Amino acid sequence: MELNFLEIFGTIVGLAYLWLEYRASIYLWIAGIVMPAIYIFVYYKAGLYADFGINIYYLIAAIYGWFFWMWGHRKKKGEQSADASADNKPQDLPIVYTPQKCYSPLFQVFIFTFIGIAWILIEYTDSNVPWLDSFTTALSIVGMWMLARKYIEQWFAWILVDIVCCGLYIYKDLYFTSALYGLYSIIAIFGYFKWKKLMSIQQ
């Protein structure tokens, strides 16, 4: 009963997070802190140890994302310092394409974490889905960093993660969470086009 309550509450927070991310709102990071705090317990109880660990990372990444969206871009706006009111808008961080130089390091991080997490799950846990669990975890690590930097291609990572997670959580009898990730996979597609539209507006 306790697990179901946490899962339902996490689903509600997740929907709020999804809506805020879709709108590219900085307040998504508030939900981004609350949601992993909930799912730390949900995933541990379900035996999804990699997902349990990734939510600790999510907490840290949410704090990083919050600060980067607010202040990470301002050093590039030094010439506009006279316009203090504009500089104080946290929404000013622009949506951008992922720089080409980032792709190779991101791919290497993905491969390293994917294999490393899978090995840990196989050797040291009773997980019966080590490869799928490690795949979604590794890709989520990359996707979360891209979101924190406000790179539009982060949606591609989440679309793939959400589709895989939807099936994985059905297998683990986490039906509310599976429904949430099924919705994520659909909205992520719309989210990409929404961010494309926001990019054209900001330009």
Side-chain angles (χ1 to χ4, degrees):
M1 180 64 70
E2 179 184 0
L3 182 59
N4 287 338
F5 172 77
L6 286 174
E7 188 185 352
I8 293 171
F9 184 57
T11 300
I12 294 172
V13 176
L15 289 172
Y17 175 90
L18 177 64
W19 174 247
L20 292 168
E21 182 183 6
Y22 173 80
R23 296 177 61 84
S25 169
I26 193 172
Y27 299 109
L28 74 91
W29 298 114
I30 296 177
I33 292 172
V34 175
M35 186 166 61
I38 295 170
Y39 276 104
I40 281 173
F41 296 98
V42 172
Y43 291 140
Y44 182 79
K45 291 286 188 180
L48 292 169
Y49 302 113
D51 282 333
F52 161 78
I54 192 63
N55 276 274
I56 297 175
Y57 165 77
Y58 281 164
L59 280 171
I60 299 172
I63 296 172
Y64 169 79
W66 174 274
F67 281 99
F68 189 83
W69 279 35
M70 289 190 71
W71 297 299
H73 60 297
R74 292 186 183 170
K75 57 187 175 183
K76 299 179 181 179
K77 293 188 174 183
E79 298 178 357
Q80 303 176 12
S81 58
D83 188 359
S85 61
D87 271 2
N88 285 330
K89 293 179 181 179
Q91 298 90 345
D92 281 347
L93 180 68
I95 299 169
V96 295
Y97 291 109
T98 306
Q100 289 292 326
K101 64 181 181 180
C102 291
Y103 282 106
S104 179
L106 287 174
F107 181 73
Q108 292 177 42
V109 168
F110 168 73
I111 294 298
F112 177 80
T113 53
F114 173 47
I115 296 175
I117 293 171
W119 179 78
I120 292 172
L121 292 179
I122 292 170
E123 293 293 325
Y124 298 104
T125 76
D126 59 353
S127 174
N128 61 349
V129 285
W131 290 105
L132 285 179
D133 200 2
S134 61
F135 174 83
T136 57
T137 301
L139 191 54
S140 294
I141 289 174
V142 172
M144 193 67 174
W145 183 83
M146 294 175 70
L147 171 59
R149 306 289 295 193
K150 221 169 184 180
Y151 295 150
I152 192 171
E153 289 85 1
Q154 59 97 14
W155 286 110
F156 297 140
W158 293 123
I159 290 170
L160 186 54
V161 168
D162 296 338
I163 291 174
V164 175
C165 282
C166 183
L168 179 60
Y169 296 148
I170 288 176
Y171 177 74
K172 283 291 186 176
D173 297 325
L174 296 173
Y175 300 114
F176 287 107
T177 305
S178 176
L180 175 63
Y181 276 83
L183 181 60
Y184 272 5
S185 63
I186 296 173
I187 299 302
I189 298 173
F190 289 97
Y192 171 76
F193 290 106
K194 173 69 173 180
W195 278 36
K196 286 277 287 186
K197 182 179 180 180
L198 291 174
M199 283 184 72
S200 64
I201 293 174
Q202 75 187 16
Q203 292 171 357

